[in-house]
């Protein structure tokens, strides 16, 4: 099955073609095209929804056209239909104006091309970035039960998958998401949005003993997260400094990242213990953090040596359409175009 994926939940306008392998063991990447308005938001410390939506409108059709061309399956004539079996689209959560562009485009193409339409929850999509074979990464089967940790700019959730179609939400953040904590701390330190990758880079030069920040809810039995207390502690530290030089910024980056990673790793291990998960799969922009993946991998190997860790290739950790097409290949639950609506508040069913 060949799927066109469309993703427009935030500032990325993305389209991709994937092909499922076997009776859907994984998917092969045929093309992936992404346009972004990120540079227009870098100075404001967050996404401006109106600007994001306007750019979605501008970029949507050219991005789809390019994805079809790169996969070599574009329609030849005006009456022709591209050689795809289904269209997958993110229908939530996200910014309403951005989501509407992708959803309405996908509905129109589904109607005009007479192709099934598969709506995809963006949060599940992030985890399905682990089921993609690319020219640089071969797929390794992921055993169930699989514990999913979604760590993005807007979400932090633990979800247990017993199969591709059955999952249980175990816990999530009560306030800020992990990526949001990186971004807000970055803003306090004068680091451009999104700050995660730059904080990781600067933390490498930081002294691990210079500061110690709180790890809220870390030892709480429930599998919920909270990062707003950490943010406040960092703010107080920043405000108490006379000036912020490069060394101080590196030390604060190091202590902040250590606190976030400690909480994510501890909670994940607690969830593995409670659920007897056989694998841990990461998804979302924060999974690009190599310090996190190395620490989690080492800690799992020490305490649960039989549990395998999976995380997406860096280019597929942040928002993209490949993961949306991938999730659709596994869920394969087409819906009539009349029944698909954008749902900005979508969470877990
Ligand atoms: O998944 P994503 O593209 O957006 C949402 O769906 O929300 O994730 C973006 C988030 C941002 O908060 C960014 O700061 C964070 O991922 N991020 C990182 C790293 N790279 C991106 N956080 C920590 N370390 C990184 N290397
Ligand atoms: Zn995302």
């Amino acid at each position: 099955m060949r799927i066109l994926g469309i993703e427009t939940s935030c500032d990325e306008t993305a389209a991709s073609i994937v092909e499922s392998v076997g009776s859907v063991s994984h998917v092969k990447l045929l093309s992936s095209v992404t346009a972004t308005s990120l540079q227009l938001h870098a100075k404001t410390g967050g996404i401006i929804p109106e600007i994001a939506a306007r750019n979605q409108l501008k970029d949507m059709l050219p991005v789809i056209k390019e994805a079809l061309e790169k996969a070599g399956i574009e329609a030849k004539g005006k009456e022709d239909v591209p050689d795809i079996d289904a269209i997958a689209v993110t229908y939530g959560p996200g910014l309403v104006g951005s989501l509407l562009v992708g959803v309405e485009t996908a509905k129109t193409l589904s109607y005009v091309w007479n192709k099934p339409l598969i709506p995809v929850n963006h949060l599940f999509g992030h985890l399905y970035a682990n089921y993609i074979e690319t020219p640089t990464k071969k797929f390794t089967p992921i055993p169930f039960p699989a514990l999913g940790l979604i760590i993005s700019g807007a979400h932090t959730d633990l979800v247990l998958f017993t199969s591709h179609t059955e999952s249980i939400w175990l816990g999530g953040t009560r306030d800020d998401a992990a990526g949001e904590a990186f971004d807000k701390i970055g803003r306090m330190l004068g680091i451009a949005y999104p700050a995660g990758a730059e904080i990781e880079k600067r933390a490498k030069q930081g002294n691990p003993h210079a500061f110690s920040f709180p790890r809220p809810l870390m030892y709480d039995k429930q599998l919920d997260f909270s990062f707003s207390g950490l943010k406040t502690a960092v703010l107080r530290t920043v405000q108490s400094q006379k000036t912020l030089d490069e060394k101080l910024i590196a030390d604060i980056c190091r202590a902040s990242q250590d606190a976030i990673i400690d909480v994510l790793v501890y909670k994940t291990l607690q969830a593995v213990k409670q659920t007897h998960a056989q694998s841990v799969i990461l998804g979302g922009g924060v999974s690009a953090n190599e310090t996190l993946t190395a620490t989690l991998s080492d800690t799992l190997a020490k305490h649960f040596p039989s549990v395998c860790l999976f995380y997406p290739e860096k280019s597929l950790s942040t928002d993209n359409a490949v993961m949306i097409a991938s999730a659709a290949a596994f869920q394969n639950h087409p819906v009539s175009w009349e029944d698909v609506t954008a749902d900005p508040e979508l969470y877990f069913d």
Side-chain angles (χ1 to χ4, degrees):
M1 178 151 111
R2 201 175 278 165
I3 301 175
L4 161 66
I6 296 174
E7 153 65 37
T8 65
S9 65
C10 192
D11 58 309
E12 270 95 10
T13 312
S16 165
I17 310 292
V18 306
E19 194 157 57
S20 52
V21 177
S23 57
V24 203
S25 127
H26 60 282
V27 300
K28 267 193 178 163
L29 173 62
L30 300 187
S31 72
S32 174
V33 179
T34 303
T36 177
S37 58
L38 187 63
Q39 67 287 355
L40 302 174
H41 312 279
K43 282 191 191 136
T44 55
I47 302 294
I48 306 159
E50 170 77 11
I51 292 181
R54 280 170 188 262
N55 279 275
Q56 296 283 4
L57 267 179
K58 177 172 71 67
D59 292 329
M60 185 78 273
L61 291 180
V63 161
I64 292 175
K65 187 168 179 283
E66 194 180 333
L68 291 167
E69 281 166 5
K70 281 194 167 157
I73 55 165
E74 71 274 29
K76 298 287 179 230
K78 277 214 160 104
E79 304 298 311
D80 236 19
V81 172
D83 187 10
I84 55 168
D85 301 297
I87 299 166
V89 65
T90 299
Y91 73 108
L95 302 171
V96 66
S98 289
L99 284 170
L100 279 169
V101 175
V103 167
E104 294 308 315
T105 305
K107 285 165 71 168
T108 308
L109 294 179
S110 163
Y111 175 72
V112 174
W113 290 343
N114 194 23
K115 300 286 178 188
L117 181 59
I118 305 172
V120 173
N121 180 330
H122 179 87
L123 300 175
F124 284 125
H126 269 303
L127 295 175
Y128 278 90
N130 289 289
Y131 291 85
I132 299 158
E133 187 161 286
T134 67
T136 49
K137 193 178 174 199
K138 264 203 100 49
F139 174 74
T140 318
I142 301 174
F144 288 116
L147 176 71
L149 174 65
I150 301 158
I151 33 178
S152 69
H155 292 88
T156 303
D157 292 286
L158 279 164
V159 186
L160 185 72
F161 286 78
T162 46
S163 72
H164 285 296
T165 48
E166 283 165 299
S167 61
I168 310 157
W169 179 82
L170 303 173
T173 185
R174 295 186 187 168
D175 39 59
D176 293 346
E180 193 177 356
F182 274 106
D183 296 338
K184 287 182 173 169
I185 290 167
R187 194 173 179 180
M188 295 171 205
L189 299 173
I191 297 172
Y193 173 88
E198 182 64 20
I199 289 183
E200 180 180 15
K201 200 169 122 202
R202 287 175 182 242
K204 292 197 170 95
Q205 264 72 55
N207 171 3
H209 309 294
F211 298 101
S212 175
F213 294 133
R215 283 125 170 93
L217 294 186
M218 184 150 117
Y219 299 111
D220 189 279
K221 277 213 163 51
Q222 287 183 330
L223 295 171
D224 282 345
F225 300 85
S226 165
F227 292 105
S228 74
L230 164 66
K231 178 187 67 188
T232 312
V234 176
L235 181 63
R236 268 198 232 107
T237 301
V238 170
Q239 285 171 340
S240 68
Q241 309 300 320
K242 281 203 185 89
T243 50
L244 276 181
D245 59 20
E246 293 297 308
K247 159 105 184 55
L248 212 48
I249 291 175
D251 290 346
I252 295 173
C253 286
R254 174 65 194 257
S256 308
Q257 179 176 272
D258 282 355
I260 295 170
I261 290 179
D262 270 4
V263 174
L264 293 174
V265 170
Y266 191 87
K267 286 283 176 188
T268 304
L269 261 75
Q270 230 182 339
V272 168
K273 192 171 160 197
Q274 286 179 21
T275 60
H276 305 289
Q278 291 300 299
S279 55
V280 172
I281 53 176
L282 307 185
V286 182
S287 71
N289 188 297
E290 288 174 13
T291 320
L292 166 69
T293 48
T295 312
L296 187 53
S297 172
D298 290 351
T299 320
L300 272 174
K302 195 164 150 206
H303 296 279
F304 299 97
S306 63
V307 176
C308 330
L309 176 66
F310 298 86
Y311 49 91
E313 231 175 73
K314 268 199 180 201
S315 62
L316 297 175
S317 64
T318 48
D319 291 350
N320 64 83
V322 196
M323 66 188 201
I324 302 304
S326 171
F330 289 91
Q331 292 168 354
N332 196 4
H333 186 57
V335 172
S336 168
W337 66 267
E338 291 111 318
D339 297 330
V340 179
T341 47
D343 184 353
E345 306 299 330
L346 181 69
Y347 199 31
F348 294 99
D349 303 324

